[in-house]
Amino acid sequence: MKSQTDSPIIEVAARGLAPVIQLIGIYVFFHGHYGPGGGFQGGVLLAAGVLLLRMAVGFENSQVQVPSRKTLILCSVGALIFAGTGLVALLMGGNFMDYAHLPVPGMEAADIRYYAILFIEIGVTMAVMTALISIYDDLLGT
Amino acid sequence: MQWQIEFLLFVILIIAALVALGIRNLLAAVVTLTIFSFMAALIMIYMGALDVGFTEAVVGAGVVGIFNVVAIFKTSRKSCD
């Protein structure tokens, strides 16, 4: 699975399909406010696009999209965004993840709650996507 | 036509589970397990749990299948029990 595939059909189909899968992942992530979806599902879809490229065009050729050595760093950054939003609210006098206490000037509490959940979802998406890619790379043993 | 669709989904679910347990070729077992997971997702969506069904379809039918295929490529293709 390290070498490039012999079949041009698989490679061209995977190259065309992976951006569409990732676009659907971004749509699911942003649509989590209004319907089914959210950070976890969007992150898994984003990871599925990268994993399709990893399987189809080879491990070395797909390092351009998400390099292997950066996956765990990005996973840690995502977890830091997730926990940091809650901790900032805790430091500003509220409960853990009580978004209304976040220090944003000029916004009402309801608006802060509405936009702070987006930061949580960004953290979850980054953590889930890069963690799944890291699991794949570790399974491959490279 | 309400309970017939759900009954058909359950029948496919149970058949896919039995085939995945009994088959010797592990790659075929992964494919049948994907069918099982997708049928479970369809049943959850049919029951009204859209979010759970969506997660099941994405994780169970997508990423877990890829991980199983990679694990089979690193070990052996046939079951030897």
Side-chain angles (χ1 to χ4, degrees):
Chain A
M1 293 193 57
K2 288 178 193 171
S3 64
Q4 201 164 352
T5 177
D6 294 329
S7 164
I9 298 174
I10 292 177
E11 188 183 334
V12 171
R15 278 184 181 173
L17 206 57
V20 181
I21 293 176
Q22 290 192 315
L23 189 65
I24 294 173
I26 293 172
Y27 166 73
V28 165
F29 158 58
F30 278 108
H31 200 70
H33 280 282
Y34 314 110
F40 187 80
Q41 289 97 326
V44 173
L45 275 172
L46 283 171
V50 178
L51 290 188
L52 183 64
L53 278 177
R54 286 267 156 103
M55 289 179 73
V57 304
F59 182 78
E60 281 82 14
N61 294 331
S62 69
Q63 292 291 306
V64 184
Q65 283 82 24
V66 181
S68 269
R69 61 181 189 281
K70 289 182 182 170
T71 51
L72 278 181
I73 300 172
L74 283 173
C75 181
S76 308
V77 170
L80 191 69
I81 291 173
F82 182 80
T85 311
L87 278 179
V88 168
L90 187 64
L91 290 177
M92 297 308 284
N95 290 321
F96 187 65
M97 289 198 179
D98 191 0
Y99 311 129
H101 290 85
L102 287 178
V104 183
M107 287 177 74
E108 294 180 5
D111 286 338
I112 295 175
R113 280 204 182 92
Y114 182 81
Y115 287 112
I117 193 70
L118 198 62
F119 277 93
I120 297 287
E121 296 283 315
I122 286 172
V124 171
T125 307
M126 281 178 63
V128 168
M129 172 189 174
T130 49
L132 285 175
I133 296 170
S134 172
I135 289 174
Y136 178 85
D137 291 342
D138 286 345
L139 271 179
L140 215 53
T142 50
Chain B
M1 279 300 287
Q2 286 298 310
W3 64 272
Q4 284 95 339
I5 298 173
E6 201 172 350
F7 183 73
L8 185 67
L9 290 178
F10 268 112
V11 167
I12 298 174
L13 181 87
I14 292 171
I15 288 174
L18 290 177
V19 168
L21 280 178
I23 204 163
R24 300 297 295 261
N25 190 348
L26 287 177
L27 210 55
V30 169
V31 175
T32 5
L33 211 60
T34 305
I35 295 173
F36 171 83
S37 187
F38 193 69
M39 287 303 142
L42 284 183
I43 288 170
M44 284 166 185
I45 289 173
Y46 191 80
M47 288 176 174
L50 274 180
D51 219 347
V52 182
F54 191 29
T55 311
E56 175 74 27
V58 166
V59 175
V63 175
V64 171
I66 294 175
F67 286 166
N68 280 333
V69 166
V70 174
I72 286 170
F73 268 104
K74 296 304 268 187
T75 55
S76 84
R77 181 83 175 265
K78 292 278 183 185
S79 155
C80 55
D81 51 346

